[in-house]
C-alpha cells in the first residue's frame, strides 16, 4: 500500500473530502462572481459533450472531473468509457457528458485542468516504472510538486505505478546537508532525530561514501544517495551489504529515462524522481459539445 492510500483510501471520506475541497477551490478561482460567457447560451439549452484524448496516456483524475461537473450542477451526467489508471490511445473518447449547456461550459476548464495534469504525472511515472521492470527498485516521487496540488499529484504517481517518498514535512524526517551542517555532524543529527521519538521514518541524505559509512555507523536505516554516479551506487550497495544490509538505499538526482534502468540495476532499493511531478507536459485533451433539442 502506498503512503497516499494509507492516509486517503480510495472512495473513503478522507479521499472524497480531499477531491471536493480541491475542486471547490479551483472552481472558486475560475468562476468568481460568475461565468459571464456562459450567459450567452440559453438557460434551457441541454447538450451532450465528449472528452477526447489526443495522445496515448494513462488516464488519471476521474474523481476530480466528476466533482467539477457535479459541484457546478448535480444534474450533469457523465458516462466514462475508460477506467482510472487505464491506458488510452490517441483520439479515444474518454467519456460522454450530458446536461445544461451553461453548466458544462462553466465546468469544462477546471475539469480538463485536473485531468490533463494528473494524467501527465501518471503517464510520466508509468514510463519510469516500465523502464525498470524486472529489477528490485521502486520509483518514488518527491516534494517537488505544483503548489496546492501536492496530494493530487502524489495520488497520480500511485496511479502510474509509483510510490510516495513522503507526503509532506509532517510525514517523515529527511535530513539534508543543511540539517547536518546546523547540527555539526551526521552522528549528532541522527541522535537528535532518534530522540524525537516521532514514530515516523528517518532518512538521511549523503553525498559520498564516507558520509554513507558515517550514516550507517550512526544507525541510519534509510539513506538517500544524492547525485551518486552509477559506479558509486554500486560501491554504496556493496558497502551496505558488508554492513549487513542495515539500510534501505535510495538514489536521487540527475535521473532520466535514459539512465534509470542502469541505476536500478546497481541493486539500489528506491529511486526518487522530481521530474514526474514538476517537469510534466500536460496531456492533450479537448471537450466537444453537440447540441440537443431545447
Amino acid at each position: 500500500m502506498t503512503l497516499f492510500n494509507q492516509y486517503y483510501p480510495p472512495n473513503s471520506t478522507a479521499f472524497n473530502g480531499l477531491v471536493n475541497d480541491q475542486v471547490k477551490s479551483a472552481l472558486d478561482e475560475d468562476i468568481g462572481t460568475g461565468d459571464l460567457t456562459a450567459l450567452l447560451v440559453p438557460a434551457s439549452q441541454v447538450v451532450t459533450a465528449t472528452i477526447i484524448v489526443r495522445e496515448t496516456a494513462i488516464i488519471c483524475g476521474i474523481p476530480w472531473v466528476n466533482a467539477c461537473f457535479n459541484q457546478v450542477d448535480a444534474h450533469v451526467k457523465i458516462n466514462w468509457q475508460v477506467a482510472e489508471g487505464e491506458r488510452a490511445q490517441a483520439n479515444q473518447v474518454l467519456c460522454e457528458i450530458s446536461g445544461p449547456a451553461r453548466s458544462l461550459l462553466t465546468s469544462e476548464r477546471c475539469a480538463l485542468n485536473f485531468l490533463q495534469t494528473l494524467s501527465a504525472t501518471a503517464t510520466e511515472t508509468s514510463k519510469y516504472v516500465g523502464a525498470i521492470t524486472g529489477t528490485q527498485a521502486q520509483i518514488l516521487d518527491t516534494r517537488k510538486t505544483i503548489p496546492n496540488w501536492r496530494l493530487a499529484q502524489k495520488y497520480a504517481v500511485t496511479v502510474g505505478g509509483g510510490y510516495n517518498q513522503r507526503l509532506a514535512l509532517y510525514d517523515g524526517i529527511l535530513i539534508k546537508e543543511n540539517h547536518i551542517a546546523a547540527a555539526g555532524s551526521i552522528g549528532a543529527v541522527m541522535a537528535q532525530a532518534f530522540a524525537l521519538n516521532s514514530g515516523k521514518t528517518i532518512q538521511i541524505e549523503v553525498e559520498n561514501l564516507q558520509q554513507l559509512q558515517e550514516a550507517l555507523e550512526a544507525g541510519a536505516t534509510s539513506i538517500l544517495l544524492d547525485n551518486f554516479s552509477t559506479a558509486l551506487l554500486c560501491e554504496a550497495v556493496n558497502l551496505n551489504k558488508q554492513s549487513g544490509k542495515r539500510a534501505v538505499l535510495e538514489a536521487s538526482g540527475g535521473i532520466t529515462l535514459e539512465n534509470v534502468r542502469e541505476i536500478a540495476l546497481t541493486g539500489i532499493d528506491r529511486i526518487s524522481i522530481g521530474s514526474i511531478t514538476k517537469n510534466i507536459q500536460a496531456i492533450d485533451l479537448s471537450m466537444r459539445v453537440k447540441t440537443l433539442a431545447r
Side-chain angles (χ1 to χ4, degrees):
M1 179 183 291
T2 65
L3 281 175
F4 181 89
N5 287 342
Q6 289 179 29
Y7 284 93
Y8 302 95
N11 300 315
S12 66
T13 299
F15 179 84
N16 293 334
L18 166 66
V19 172
N20 287 328
D21 287 349
Q22 290 186 327
V23 166
K24 182 181 184 303
S25 177
L27 290 172
D28 287 346
E29 175 186 58
D30 201 34
I31 299 171
T33 57
D35 181 356
L36 297 177
T37 314
L39 297 178
L40 304 177
V41 179
S44 60
Q45 183 70 62
V46 176
V47 299
T48 62
T50 55
I51 294 179
I52 301 168
V53 62
R54 301 301 184 184
E55 59 185 301
T56 300
I58 302 295
I59 300 305
C60 179
I62 288 175
W64 282 262
V65 174
N66 291 341
C68 282
F69 287 104
N70 290 332
Q71 284 191 27
V72 170
D73 190 336
H75 295 98
V76 172
K77 305 298 181 185
I78 308 175
N79 178 29
W80 285 94
Q81 298 178 23
V82 296
E84 187 83 332
E86 183 178 336
R87 185 179 298 276
Q89 303 303 317
N91 300 314
Q92 182 174 340
V93 174
L94 303 181
C95 65
E96 184 175 83
I97 313 163
S98 60
R102 287 185 179 182
S103 300
L104 268 64
L105 295 172
T106 297
S107 310
E108 174 186 1
R109 186 68 267 156
C110 280
L112 293 184
N113 283 348
F114 278 110
L115 192 61
Q116 69 185 17
T117 304
L118 298 183
S119 293
T121 290
T123 300
E124 192 67 12
T125 301
S126 73
K127 293 177 183 177
Y128 280 93
V129 171
I132 65 167
T133 298
T135 72
Q136 71 176 29
Q138 296 177 335
I139 298 297
L140 283 78
D141 53 27
T142 70
R143 285 170 46 240
K144 297 174 182 176
T145 53
I146 298 170
N148 298 320
W149 279 55
R150 166 71 56 78
L151 294 174
Q153 283 195 289
K154 292 280 189 178
Y155 163 79
V157 167
T158 70
V159 171
Y163 293 82
N164 306 131
Q165 213 266 11
R166 55 177 176 164
L167 296 189
L169 292 172
Y170 62 77
D171 194 40
I173 296 171
L174 174 50
I175 302 164
K176 299 175 76 70
E177 66 272 17
N178 287 334
H179 301 103
I180 296 170
S185 70
I186 287 176
V189 76
M190 286 297 299
Q192 292 173 17
F194 289 135
L196 289 178
N197 291 317
S198 66
K200 300 292 185 179
T201 59
I202 299 173
Q203 185 178 50
I204 186 166
E205 180 182 89
V206 301
E207 298 177 338
N208 52 57
L209 292 176
Q210 180 181 341
Q211 288 187 339
L212 172 60
Q213 183 62 54
E214 291 176 20
L216 289 169
E217 291 174 355
T221 57
S222 181
I223 302 176
L224 184 68
L225 308 174
D226 183 41
N227 282 297
F228 275 45
S229 66
T230 304
L232 280 179
L233 286 174
C234 289
E235 290 189 51
V237 169
N238 287 332
L239 182 60
N240 191 41
K241 285 180 180 178
Q242 292 168 13
S243 70
K245 286 191 177 180
R246 296 183 196 174
V248 172
L249 298 184
E250 179 177 327
S252 183
I255 297 166
T256 66
L257 277 171
E258 288 67 38
N259 66 16
V260 68
R261 184 166 185 84
E262 181 182 7
I263 290 169
L265 289 172
T266 64
I268 209 78
D269 301 298
R270 313 193 321 178
I271 303 171
S272 53
I273 305 169
S275 64
I276 59 177
T277 51
K278 73 181 181 74
N279 293 348
I280 54 172
Q281 177 68 46
I283 297 300
D284 189 2
L285 301 167
S286 63
M287 189 177 92
R288 291 290 179 264
V289 170
K290 179 174 71 172
T291 303
L292 297 181
R294 296 182 185 179

